[in-house]
Amino acid sequence: MLENTGFRAPARQPHSSTENHKATMTRPVTAVVSVADIRKSFLDFFASKGHTVVASSSLVPGNDPTLMFTNSGMVQFKDVFLGTDKRPYVRAASVQACLRAGGKHNDLENVGYTARHHTFFEMLGNWSFGDYFKRESLKWGG
């Protein structure tokens, strides 16, 4: 549930004036950003908004007999949403390792055929446990 909250991936800067000159004279510069840079920028942005950065939980949830695998970024916060757990923070940001293994919204037949369907992926998420809502978060996209 990542809403448009103003996150911007960092742009790659040219290494030299020659590279910059070549890029602007021959073709538009295409930013090359590593996955690690995207993760870090995402987490840094939400940390600057008062979110606690929470590490990815296991792909096999240890305390949830209803799930075989972690299939979304909210799994580690399921008990918070159900009201059976309270965390020492009200804002969280995470990069959760997930496994697509079928289920209610099963689209496994698309894995390997489209650029956006994978069996393993990381879900970037920002969470508010009653601290802010859509109206407040939309201001960050400004």
Side-chain angles (χ1 to χ4, degrees):
M1 291 191 61
L2 174 63
E3 298 180 28
N4 181 8
T5 52
F7 165 70
R8 304 285 190 273
R12 180 184 152 303
Q13 297 298 318
H15 292 293
S16 69
S17 61
T18 305
E19 181 181 348
N20 188 32
H21 177 73
K22 286 181 192 174
T24 57
M25 295 301 291
T26 57
R27 59 181 162 67
V29 175
T30 302
V32 177
V33 181
S34 74
V35 173
D37 288 339
I38 293 170
R39 282 187 208 109
K40 182 177 179 343
S41 294
F42 178 85
L43 295 173
D44 288 350
F45 175 83
F46 284 103
S48 77
K49 302 296 182 194
H51 291 66
T52 297
V53 174
V54 180
S56 179
S57 61
S58 173
L59 273 175
V60 179
N63 61 347
D64 190 341
T66 67
L67 292 172
M68 265 181 119
F69 301 106
T70 298
N71 58 359
S72 72
M74 59 122 357
V75 168
Q76 65 179 314
F77 304 114
K78 184 177 173 182
D79 291 337
V80 178
F81 292 122
L82 293 173
T84 59
D85 186 23
K86 186 159 177 65
R87 302 288 173 97
Y89 46 83
V90 293
R91 296 178 178 194
S94 64
V95 177
Q96 175 61 52
C98 299
L99 186 68
R100 185 185 307 266
K104 181 178 177 184
H105 302 290
N106 188 356
D107 55 359
L108 280 176
E109 66 276 1
N110 294 321
V111 169
Y113 292 101
T114 73
R116 64 185 188 98
H117 287 86
H118 307 283
T119 52
F120 175 79
F121 59 99
E122 292 181 318
M123 187 172 284
L124 286 67
N126 61 291
W127 312 96
S128 169
F129 307 117
D131 182 55
Y132 66 87
F133 300 94
K134 190 180 290 188
R135 179 172 299 210
E136 292 85 1
S137 68
L138 289 175
K139 294 175 186 172
W140 297 337

